[in-house]
């Protein structure tokens, strides 16, 4: 039985790999197609020039060096023996195939049990998937594609300058699943144009696609992002913490219980953001989500009653 009312990622990793596993962030010198003009400029409205790499080492360092440096520190501090090489920043498949293969090969070590690759669902080629499948089979290593989706509302996706819709996400998930890869999805639960219906539909879509893991976070405003201008002009709103807590709790209740939850709220250094998490610590918001679920007798998956041809069951 879970201590938390949802399937905690660390419990999933311990069950899968037999012991605690640590993620090692890796930073590559690349960008995104909606940032460099390929399909758009400026990037997603909630993303700054640093991307998601707040905790990564300098991208100028070779992958192997970043990995060795971080593993040496974390391994000693936590007596860790197994690791996940996590290509974290920007779109990690938005690179020439030869370079992509070289980066992935640099991350292969005996103590690395999984390679996680953060990317966009419209930027994963069959050539890349074929290569990753060979790596998975030859080295007996798990491959996890971390796909940014944020919302299933295609109108909101356009408003936040994602540059893709829901169809591209579904297509990418299907192609990854056909090759036996894990899929993790990033979702923002309080985008200004999304309501609770969008949030719950997001949980349903991810459950129907048999996603393996989910990362949730509330909307925040990094310095240098397109959204920062909206914030400074008073046109930005992330709602209230009470609303986010309710959305997160209900999202989890509609999400299949076998999907691991990597986080229920994100975080960022204060100096890098104009507004973040309602000026509360991430762990306080997490505690409020757990409290809400307990008070309303909710557990992950308790409302997941919509699959399997429910009318004819």
């Amino acid at each position: 039985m879970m201590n938390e009312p949802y399937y905690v990622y660390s419990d999933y990793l311990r069950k899968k790999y037999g012991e605690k596993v640590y993620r090692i962030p890796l930073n590559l010198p690349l960008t995104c197609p909606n940032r460099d003009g390929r399909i758009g400029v400026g990037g997603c409205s909630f993303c700054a020039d640093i991307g998601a790499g707040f905790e990564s080492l300098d991208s100028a360092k070779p992958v192997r060096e970043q990995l060795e440096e971080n593993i040496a520190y974390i391994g000693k501090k936590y007596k860790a023996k197994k690791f996940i090489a996590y290509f974290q920043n920007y779109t990690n498949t938005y690179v020439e195939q030869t370079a992509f293969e070289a980066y992935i090969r640099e991350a292969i070590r005996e103590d690395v049990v999984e390679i996680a690759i953060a990317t966009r669902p419209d930027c994963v080629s069959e050539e890349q998937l074929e290569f990753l499948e060979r790596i998975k089979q030859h080295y007996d290593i798990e491959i996890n594609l971390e796909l940014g989706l944020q919302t299933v509302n295609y109108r909101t996706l356009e408003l936040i300058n994602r540059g893709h819709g829901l169809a591209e996400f579904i297509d990418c998930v299907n192609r990854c699943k056909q090759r036996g890869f894990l899929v993790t999805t990033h979702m923002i639960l309080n985008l200004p144009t999304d309501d609770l219906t969008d949030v719950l539909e997001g949980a349903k879509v991810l459950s129907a696609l048999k996603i393996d893991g989910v990362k949730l976070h509330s909307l925040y405003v990094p310095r240098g992002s397109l959204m920062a201008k909206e914030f400074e002009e008073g046109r930005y709103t992330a709602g209230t913490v009470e609303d986010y807590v309710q959305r997160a709790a209900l999202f989890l209740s509609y999400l299949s219980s076998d999907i691991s939850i990597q986080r229920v709220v994100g975080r960022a250094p204060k100096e890098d953001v104009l507004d973040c998490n309602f000026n509360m610590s991430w762990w306080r918001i997490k505690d409020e989500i757990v409290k809400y679920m307990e008070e309303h007798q909710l557990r992950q998956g308790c409302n997941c009653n919509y699959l399997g041809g429910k009318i004819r069951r």
Side-chain angles (χ1 to χ4, degrees):
M1 196 72 176
M2 297 180 293
N3 293 325
E4 304 285 14
Y6 53 85
Y7 190 10
V8 179
Y9 182 53
S10 59
D11 292 341
Y12 161 82
L13 290 176
R14 190 179 295 276
K15 179 180 178 181
K16 183 176 181 64
Y17 296 112
E19 60 186 273
K20 193 168 179 62
V21 180
Y22 290 82
R23 291 165 70 87
I24 306 297
L26 300 170
N27 194 7
L28 298 181
L30 39 72
T31 184
C32 292
N34 67 336
R35 183 174 286 277
D36 69 358
R38 177 72 179 271
I39 60 172
V41 293
C44 301
S45 63
F46 55 83
C47 186
D49 291 339
I50 194 173
F54 292 114
E55 298 174 340
S56 298
L57 295 176
D58 190 340
S59 64
K61 287 189 176 184
V63 167
R64 185 155 306 184
E65 187 177 332
Q66 292 183 53
L67 199 58
E68 289 174 351
E69 185 175 329
N70 274 327
I71 285 180
Y73 172 76
I74 292 175
K76 181 178 180 181
K77 183 175 181 179
Y78 299 105
K79 298 181 179 179
K81 297 178 181 178
K82 293 182 180 180
F83 304 93
I84 295 171
Y86 177 30
F87 291 91
Q88 176 181 15
N89 203 31
Y90 290 128
T91 303
N92 288 276
T93 55
Y94 191 47
V95 62
E96 194 271 334
Q97 181 70 18
T98 302
F100 176 74
E101 293 185 8
Y103 289 140
I104 297 299
R105 290 189 184 279
E106 280 192 75
I108 297 171
R109 292 171 38 131
E110 187 175 345
D111 52 1
V112 170
V113 296
E114 183 178 312
I115 295 175
I117 305 165
T119 188
R120 297 166 55 89
D122 60 346
C123 200
V124 181
S125 71
E126 283 300 298
E127 188 179 11
Q128 289 170 330
L129 293 180
E130 289 170 4
F131 166 73
L132 291 172
E133 187 173 26
R134 294 196 299 272
I135 291 294
K136 172 181 170 63
Q137 293 172 350
H138 182 78
Y139 293 99
D140 190 26
I141 191 170
E142 288 285 7
I143 302 295
N144 190 338
L145 276 295
E146 289 209 1
L147 304 178
L149 174 61
Q150 318 311 344
T151 175
V152 297
N153 185 324
Y154 63 90
R155 292 186 177 88
T156 300
L157 288 172
E158 183 176 354
L159 286 170
I160 62 176
N161 200 39
R162 280 297 293 176
H164 68 77
L166 181 59
E168 292 90 331
F169 173 76
I170 294 171
D171 170 67
C172 189
V173 171
N174 287 337
R175 290 188 293 121
C176 291
K177 285 293 186 178
Q178 287 168 4
R179 297 181 185 273
F181 300 152
L182 303 171
V183 176
T184 298
T185 305
H186 295 233
M187 300 290 282
I188 301 174
L189 299 187
N190 60 331
L191 288 161
T193 51
D194 280 4
D195 58 22
L196 185 58
T197 300
D198 296 304
V199 171
L200 301 187
E201 191 65 17
K204 292 179 179 182
V205 169
L206 299 188
S207 298
L209 290 172
K210 301 187 184 303
I211 298 299
D212 299 282
V214 170
K215 285 184 175 179
L216 305 178
H217 74 81
S218 65
L219 185 62
Y220 56 77
V221 187
R223 297 181 186 276
S225 64
L226 296 175
M227 203 168 279
K229 185 180 181 194
E230 296 178 15
F231 178 81
E232 290 166 341
E233 293 174 351
R235 296 185 292 115
Y236 160 91
T237 175
T240 65
V241 65
E242 291 80 12
D243 179 59
Y244 180 78
V245 165
Q246 180 190 46
R247 290 186 182 205
L250 291 174
F251 175 94
L252 292 168
S253 77
Y254 277 81
L255 189 71
S256 175
S257 60
D258 57 2
I259 297 176
S260 68
I261 309 302
Q262 293 194 20
R263 68 184 182 211
V264 293
V265 64
R267 52 182 170 172
K270 284 185 178 181
E271 63 271 17
D272 293 317
V273 294
L274 297 175
D275 185 61
C276 182
N277 290 342
F278 318 99
N279 294 316
M280 294 174 61
S281 64
W282 68 270
W283 57 265
R284 278 189 60 197
I285 298 175
K286 172 184 174 294
D287 288 348
E288 287 299 315
I289 293 169
V290 171
K291 179 182 176 183
Y292 184 99
M293 294 183 75
E294 290 175 345
E295 289 178 347
H296 293 81
Q297 298 183 319
L298 298 174
R299 296 195 71 80
Q300 182 179 339
C302 69
N303 288 320
C304 185
N305 58 0
Y306 44 83
L307 300 176
K310 69 173 186 176
I311 300 299
R312 295 299 301 271
R313 281 207 298 260

